[in-house]
């Protein structure tokens, strides 16, 4: 049995790193930001995450702060078996986005649907200044 300078045989690498047991991915979630005339939309891909895994707020400097944290620990209390390899699932991500001046910070909304966090950033409604007019004196 070849151990490849590891404490566990290499045959287990092929067994554990499959579609059924994918290797943990340590990359940050992908973020899309789009703009329309009325708003900005931030989309953050976080497959498998739930509403309770997110925290979204505007900090004291007026920046959008997104935090994602998820911890899954599976424990089996079976004394007849022991682990050769056990990986805990823990995800933590924080991102601060500088908001443009035209965002109405009091109307920001967020929702989670199918593993995508969507944050709607409405723009401040600009009222057109009505031009003054001269009143004719009669």
């Amino acid at each position: 049995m070849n151990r490849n300078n590891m404490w566990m045989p290499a045959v287990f690498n092929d067994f554990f790193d499959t579609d059924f047991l994918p290797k943990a991915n340590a990359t940050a979630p992908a973020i899309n930001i789009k703009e329309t005339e009325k708003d900005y939309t931030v989309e953050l891909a976080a497959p498998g995450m739930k509403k309770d895994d997110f925290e979204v707020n505007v900090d004291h400097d007026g920046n959008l702060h997104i935090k994602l944290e998820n911890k899954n620990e599976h424990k089996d209390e079976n004394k007849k078996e022991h682990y050769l390899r056990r990986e805990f699932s823990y995800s933590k991500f924080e991102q601060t986005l500088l908001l443009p001046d035209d965002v109405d910070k009091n109307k920001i909304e967020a929702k989670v649907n199918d593993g995508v966090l969507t944050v709607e950033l409405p723009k401040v409604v600009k009222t057109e200044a009505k031009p003054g007019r001269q009143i004719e004196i009669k």
Side-chain angles (χ1 to χ4, degrees):
M1 188 178 300
N2 182 4
R3 293 190 182 257
N4 293 333
N5 295 326
M6 294 176 45
W7 64 270
M8 186 170 31
V11 69
F12 286 107
N13 289 338
D14 292 334
F15 175 76
F16 288 113
D17 194 10
T18 66
D19 290 339
F20 297 109
L21 293 168
K23 190 154 178 74
N25 188 354
T27 60
I31 295 179
N32 295 330
I33 301 174
K34 59 185 175 182
E35 178 183 11
T36 66
E37 290 180 15
K38 296 182 179 184
D39 63 6
Y40 300 93
T41 303
V42 176
E43 299 169 326
L44 184 133
M49 300 300 163
K50 302 176 297 292
K51 175 181 155 182
D52 295 337
D53 298 330
F54 293 96
E55 182 180 311
V56 179
N57 62 56
V58 176
D59 65 17
H60 63 280
D61 293 327
N63 301 316
L64 181 68
H65 187 76
I66 300 172
K67 181 179 179 181
L68 162 67
E69 189 168 4
N70 182 303
K71 183 178 181 180
N72 289 325
E73 184 176 329
H74 180 70
K75 289 186 178 181
D76 289 329
E77 297 298 327
N78 187 343
K79 302 285 184 186
K80 295 182 182 180
E81 59 185 32
H82 65 280
Y83 289 98
L84 292 177
R85 179 172 173 173
R86 182 172 165 174
E87 293 185 356
F88 295 98
S89 173
Y90 181 76
S91 300
K92 184 175 182 178
F93 170 79
E94 290 187 48
Q95 179 75 45
T96 300
L97 301 173
L98 303 176
L99 294 177
D101 293 335
D102 62 345
V103 170
D104 188 343
K105 295 175 178 70
N106 294 320
K107 294 184 179 178
I108 296 174
E109 295 182 0
K111 64 181 177 181
V112 176
N113 189 17
D114 294 332
V116 177
L117 171 71
T118 303
V119 182
E120 297 290 337
L121 308 166
K123 292 182 179 180
V124 175
V125 178
K126 296 180 182 178
T127 56
E128 291 185 23
K130 295 182 181 180
R133 67 179 183 96
Q134 184 67 31
I135 310 267
E136 183 181 331
I137 301 174
K138 297 185 182 181

